[in-house]
Amino acid sequence: MAKGTTVRMWRRVCILLVFMAIALGVVIFNLIRLQIIDGEELKRAAIDQSLRPTKLTAQRGTIYDCSGTKILAKSASVWTVALEPIHIEEEDKPTVARELARILDMEEADVLELVNKDTYFTYVKRKVETEIKDEILAFEKEYGISRGIQLIEDYKRYYPYGNFMGPVLGFTGTDSQGLSGLEYQYDSELSGTAGRLVTAKNAVGSDMPFQYEQRVEAEDGYDLVLTIDEGIQHFLEEGLEEGIANFNVANGACAVAMDVNTGAILGLATKGDYDPNDPWTIADEEVQKEIDALPEDEQEAATSAALQKQWRNKAISDTYYPGSVFKMCTGSMALEEDIVSEETTFTCNHSYQVSGTGVYINCWSTHGTETFVQGVCNSCNPFFMYIGEQLGPNLFFKYFEAFGFTQKTGIDLPGEANTIYYTADQLNPVELATESFGQNFSITPIHMLAAAAAVANGGYLVQPHVVDHMLDSDGNIVMSADTSYKRQVISKETSERMTKILNQNATSGTAQSGYIAGYQVCGKTGTSQKILEDNLDPTKKHYIASYCGFAPADDPQVALLIYFDEPDPTINYYGGTVAGPTFEKCMKQILDYLGTERKYTQEELEKIDTTAPSVTGQTVEEAVKTVEDAGLTVKIRGNGDTVLEQVPAFGEELPQDGTIVLYTDEESTETTVKVPNLKGLSLSAANQTAVNAGIQIKVTGAALTSSSSISQTQDIEEGTEVKPGTVVTVSFVEPDQVA
């Protein structure tokens, strides 16, 4: 072999060895990098790639009323229907598509498209009821479908009372997230924590040959126990519905009842509202008709606006001029600062010139010389403008701020509005004058009620709240509401003095429409003109009629605010006339429900109603004696010897000098009379009209204390066929009261 050939051969061998060494080095380096340097990270990636997590849904917490037993919102099991198309046998796919479409009320073509997907998982339908799940299981069994259909447990929110407390409770979205009301405010607490089930799968989605499964259980959400009482809530909602119908209220209403000592909300009603089970449907049919009549390109925006409006909680999110209701605050300021006493006098000449200006502001009447107590009971604006001047802007604003009007109350509901007001530096004489009687600044109804509670409870500003406590799944209390006072605004003495004045106002002043015999109600009416908004007709006046008060005067427990937004001015729009009767009815129901003791004056004892004794089944002779012994009059209908029916029935209320009609045979029980129109009459005229019609009346409101009151509403409509002797409740108000 030639020497040159040998050299070239060795050179080639050396080069080959160098390349092999480099390649081996690269392999060794990568082995070290993959196994030692990046080993743990790659191991985790491999595990992550092979592990398939399944979310375990947590059950959303239940919402109860204050009893802890009445369920207002709950979650119940529903099911998500999903497919594993790759595991469905080819010959079974048409059957699966056909039967699932039938059971789920879907288009067969849509389901077939899902069945034919080349995938390991796809959703078909969410939130199906258990009955549907059972149908699917039965179908699988009937056709021998062993793989390919998954039923995954989930939860759906239910509101057992339907169209009740909607704006307070709110509602949830498709993923059970809170979108409004308490559901939104306490979403994280109600939601709980989702769990996970992790299993090992290979590249085609089958179980790995080795065992690996990790399960982290879901933690269910906390339950909420509210301060709201379901019974009191019903009183408020029914009262608002009746008031809206009586006065053709255009823009809804709200009512809030509060424990004056703790700030606990006992009831919070808003109308119009909606069914939280179906929040995306417009509840007001007339509004829906108006939207349907719009051009198609305008309907979407109109629908969105209508939904936002019906979800809105007026008591929290709407601001308004409180009007004369605010005079209880101005009066408290003046008493606290010794600017007035109960006997301080002022002369109202109908028109008052604001000090240092040429501006004159009128009163609703001409009251002449009056004491401070009379000024409150007359709701005299000039007297309160004079008080505002004596306080001055700095002192007035100090108390305005102390009563909580410059900040949100912090109630545990979403969407609380900011107030609109003048600072001390901005309170020029006209602004100070108008604010003194409740105009020219805007607060929310919950602000006004919290201030009224401070007037009632000894002067302490409370924290309004609707959740009393939270419970975990084992029933342990994990949170309780803080009921401590924020601060003391006025002294106990001032509170007691103003309470006494407001009690007199409800007994003989402008707030008589809220009077309740035996309960010593304290009240103040409000009639405030609305700020012109974009959607208001500037050629018309728009009002809010309200009544705010508390009871009993000797130991205040419950404060109540009734608020009607835009009552029909052609019927009436004054606070005492529109809101007073609803206040009287709701407050009476609340105090009766709470078992509050009635303390009648001698004068009240002579006027209060009695109840019908039980005489049904007795002989006529026995029944007559029983009724007459009760101090009542008897009328007998029919020729029988035994009482088959009585009107009023046992336990029903009727006037002390009322009549019980006894029906003694079948023919007599079929007798009816028509209820007459009992509105717009004096007490004597209403009584005579009722007697002439063969019925009797029970009076509420101002007729119990005033000789000049007129009837305004009746609980049984004119023309209704009733049995003779039926008692119709008629509400009376003072005429021409504008405050």
Side-chain angles (χ1 to χ4, degrees):
M1 179 182 297
K3 184 178 180 180
T5 303
T6 302
V7 171
R8 286 195 300 271
M9 182 180 71
W10 279 108
R11 185 181 295 129
R12 289 170 182 169
V13 170
C14 288
I15 291 171
L16 180 61
L17 288 173
V18 169
F19 277 116
M20 289 177 65
I22 292 171
L24 182 60
V26 170
V27 171
I28 293 171
F29 172 77
N30 280 312
L31 285 173
I32 293 171
R33 181 178 62 83
L34 293 173
Q35 293 189 28
I36 298 176
I37 299 174
D38 297 333
E40 287 301 317
E41 182 179 346
L42 293 171
K43 182 179 179 181
R44 284 195 299 270
I47 293 173
D48 289 342
Q49 191 173 18
S50 61
L51 296 181
R52 300 289 173 87
T54 300
K55 181 180 178 181
L56 302 178
T57 305
Q59 184 167 359
R60 195 171 179 85
T62 300
I63 302 177
Y64 297 93
D65 89 328
C66 65
S67 69
T69 58
K70 294 179 180 177
I71 295 174
L72 303 175
K74 65 176 182 178
S75 293
S77 292
V78 290
W79 305 85
T80 295
V81 181
L83 292 174
E84 298 173 311
I86 207 161
H87 294 309
I88 301 175
E89 300 294 337
E90 199 64 35
E91 62 271 17
D92 290 334
K93 288 185 176 182
T95 303
V96 170
R98 182 185 71 246
E99 292 302 306
L100 282 184
R102 175 184 63 81
I103 295 170
L104 299 176
D105 193 24
M106 296 175 65
E107 293 294 330
E108 184 175 340
D110 294 338
V111 181
L112 185 60
E113 183 179 344
L114 297 175
V115 170
N116 287 325
K117 278 189 172 184
D118 186 20
T119 182
Y120 291 95
F121 187 89
T122 186
Y123 287 107
V124 181
K125 195 168 186 177
R126 300 172 186 263
K127 308 288 186 184
V128 304
E129 304 291 343
T130 300
E131 295 80 3
I132 301 297
K133 179 207 73 168
D134 292 341
E135 281 192 61
I136 293 173
L137 292 175
F139 146 67
E140 287 181 304
K141 183 176 180 181
E142 180 181 352
Y143 287 90
I145 307 296
S146 59
R147 292 193 68 184
I149 302 174
Q150 280 198 28
L151 296 167
I152 305 167
E153 187 174 15
D154 199 354
Y155 297 101
K156 181 179 179 180
R157 205 64 165 162
Y158 291 94
Y159 303 88
Y161 289 91
N163 188 23
F164 180 75
M165 272 181 71
V168 176
L169 294 172
F171 57 92
T172 59
T174 54
D175 293 325
S176 295
Q177 77 279 26
L179 297 179
S180 178
L182 285 168
E183 297 280 23
Y184 176 84
Q185 183 77 15
Y186 286 92
D187 185 53
S188 60
E189 292 86 351
L190 287 164
S191 295
T193 304
R196 288 197 313 164
L197 175 64
V198 183
T199 55
K201 302 284 184 180
N202 61 21
V204 294
S206 301
D207 292 338
M208 297 282 276
F210 58 88
Q211 294 294 319
Y212 184 91
E213 180 174 295
Q214 184 178 10
R215 185 182 184 93
V216 179
E217 295 293 345
E219 295 180 12
D220 292 340
Y222 292 148
D223 296 335
L224 303 185
V225 179
L226 306 186
T227 58
I228 292 176
D229 188 296
E230 178 263 342
I232 292 175
Q233 182 73 19
H234 272 295
F235 299 150
L236 299 185
E237 298 212 3
E238 290 167 2
L240 290 184
E241 288 173 355
E242 184 178 302
I244 288 171
N246 287 336
F247 297 99
N248 192 27
V249 178
N251 200 35
C254 70
V256 191
M258 177 193 288
D259 183 321
V260 301
N261 297 303
T262 67
I265 302 298
L266 306 178
L268 197 167
T270 300
K271 298 292 177 180
D273 55 359
Y274 63 97
D275 183 349
N277 292 299
D278 188 20
W280 302 97
T281 295
I282 296 173
D284 191 323
E285 294 180 0
E286 293 303 316
V287 172
Q288 185 61 64
K289 288 178 183 177
E290 292 174 6
I291 293 173
D292 292 340
L294 293 173
E296 283 191 19
D297 60 342
E298 297 179 19
Q299 289 185 8
E300 183 177 351
T303 298
S304 177
L307 289 173
Q308 292 295 331
K309 184 177 180 180
Q310 76 176 19
W311 298 338
R312 191 176 180 86
N313 190 331
K314 291 182 73 67
I316 309 299
S317 301
D318 284 10
T319 60
Y320 77 118
Y321 289 173
S324 292
V325 166
F326 183 76
K327 289 172 182 172
M328 69 173 70
C329 297
T330 305
S332 296
M333 300 175 196
L335 288 172
E336 184 73 12
E337 292 294 327
D338 290 326
I339 286 172
V340 298
S341 71
E342 285 79 353
E343 300 304 318
T344 298
T345 59
F346 173 85
T347 301
C348 170
N349 294 317
H350 180 65
S351 184
Y352 184 80
Q353 182 179 9
V354 179
S355 177
T357 74
V359 177
Y360 286 83
I361 299 176
N362 292 333
C363 188
W364 67 273
S365 184
T366 302
H367 298 112
T369 300
E370 56 191 343
T371 66
F372 173 64
V373 173
Q374 291 169 332
V376 174
C377 293
N378 291 331
S379 199
C380 177
N381 287 348
F383 203 151
F384 280 85
M385 286 187 274
Y386 166 76
I387 290 173
E389 289 177 359
Q390 301 308 303
L391 285 165
N394 291 323
L395 202 52
F396 178 89
F397 187 75
K398 168 192 167 185
Y399 283 99
F400 186 87
E401 189 173 32
F403 270 115
F405 294 123
T406 61
Q407 295 180 330
K408 295 180 180 180
T409 67
I411 189 172
D412 49 343
L413 284 169
E416 184 174 7
N418 290 309
T419 55
I420 303 170
Y421 58 90
Y422 291 94
T423 64
D425 293 339
Q426 297 168 330
L427 279 172
N428 63 40
V430 173
E431 274 67 49
L432 179 58
T434 53
E435 287 203 8
S436 296
F437 60 84
Q439 293 288 138
N440 218 23
F441 65 92
S442 294
I443 59 175
T444 64
I446 199 68
H447 271 108
M448 190 62 242
L449 191 64
V455 172
N457 67 18
Y460 298 97
L461 190 66
V462 295
Q463 173 61 61
H465 59 281
V466 295
V467 172
D468 184 75
H469 60 275
M470 286 192 294
L471 303 170
D472 64 17
S473 56
D474 295 323
N476 301 310
I477 295 177
V478 295
M479 186 282 288
S480 293
D482 181 3
T483 58
S484 58
Y485 299 133
K486 291 182 177 180
R487 57 184 167 271
Q488 187 166 12
V489 183
I490 56 175
S491 66
K492 182 179 180 182
E493 179 189 0
T494 297
S495 168
E496 291 172 348
R497 292 166 70 187
M498 182 52 65
T499 293
K500 187 175 180 180
I501 295 170
L502 293 172
N503 176 231
Q504 184 171 331
N505 189 36
T507 304
S508 59
T510 52
Q512 290 178 79
S513 56
Y515 171 83
I516 307 169
Y519 277 142
Q520 303 178 61
V521 169
C522 304
K524 190 71 193 74
T525 60
T527 306
S528 52
Q529 190 169 352
K530 293 181 68 173
I531 304 170
L532 281 181
E533 300 165 2
D534 293 341
N535 62 334
L536 296 182
D537 183 349
T539 65
K540 298 178 181 179
K541 290 185 177 181
H542 305 264
Y543 294 94
I544 289 173
S546 64
Y547 191 115
C548 185
F550 49 89
D554 61 348
D555 184 20
Q557 298 296 317
V558 179
L560 174 63
L561 173 66
I562 304 293
Y563 164 111
F564 288 104
D565 193 347
E566 294 187 39
D568 188 341
T570 64
I571 302 174
N572 211 308
Y573 61 88
Y574 303 140
T577 308
V578 176
T582 301
F583 176 94
E584 182 273 334
K585 181 176 182 179
C586 291
M587 181 62 90
K588 179 180 180 298
Q589 290 174 318
I590 291 169
L591 295 176
D592 286 347
Y593 178 79
L594 295 176
T596 308
E597 179 186 2
R598 289 204 185 198
K599 299 176 182 178
Y600 295 104
T601 64
Q602 186 59 44
E603 186 180 1
E604 287 173 336
L605 285 172
E606 295 171 1
K607 296 180 179 179
I608 61 171
D609 297 318
T610 186
T611 56
S614 175
V615 295
T616 302
Q618 294 182 2
T619 65
V620 172
E621 184 178 354
E622 291 171 335
V624 169
K625 184 177 187 307
T626 300
V627 173
E628 289 180 344
D629 286 347
L632 301 168
T633 303
V634 181
K635 283 188 178 180
I636 301 171
R637 290 183 175 269
N639 299 310
D641 298 323
T642 303
V643 178
L644 303 181
E645 189 176 345
Q646 68 178 78
V647 175
F650 169 57
E652 290 185 358
E653 291 187 345
L654 73 162
Q656 287 193 23
D657 57 352
T659 300
I660 293 185
V661 181
L662 309 179
Y663 298 87
T664 63
D665 57 29
E666 292 296 335
E667 184 179 351
S668 67
T669 61
E670 297 176 2
T671 305
T672 61
V673 295
K674 284 188 177 181
V675 174
N677 179 16
L678 297 167
K679 301 175 184 177
L681 306 175
S682 66
L683 178 57
S684 59
N687 268 317
Q688 189 59 53
T689 302
V691 169
N692 293 342
I695 63 170
Q696 49 196 330
I697 64 172
K698 181 167 79 78
V699 302
T700 63
L704 296 170
T705 58
S706 170
S707 59
S708 61
S709 61
I710 59 170
S711 56
Q712 178 173 253
T713 62
Q714 57 190 84
D715 68 342
I716 302 178
E717 286 301 310
E718 175 188 3
T720 305
E721 297 277 351
V722 298
K723 290 185 179 296
T726 294
V727 178
V728 178
T729 300
V730 181
S731 173
F732 285 76
V733 297
E734 277 291 291
D736 303 322
Q737 296 286 3
V738 302

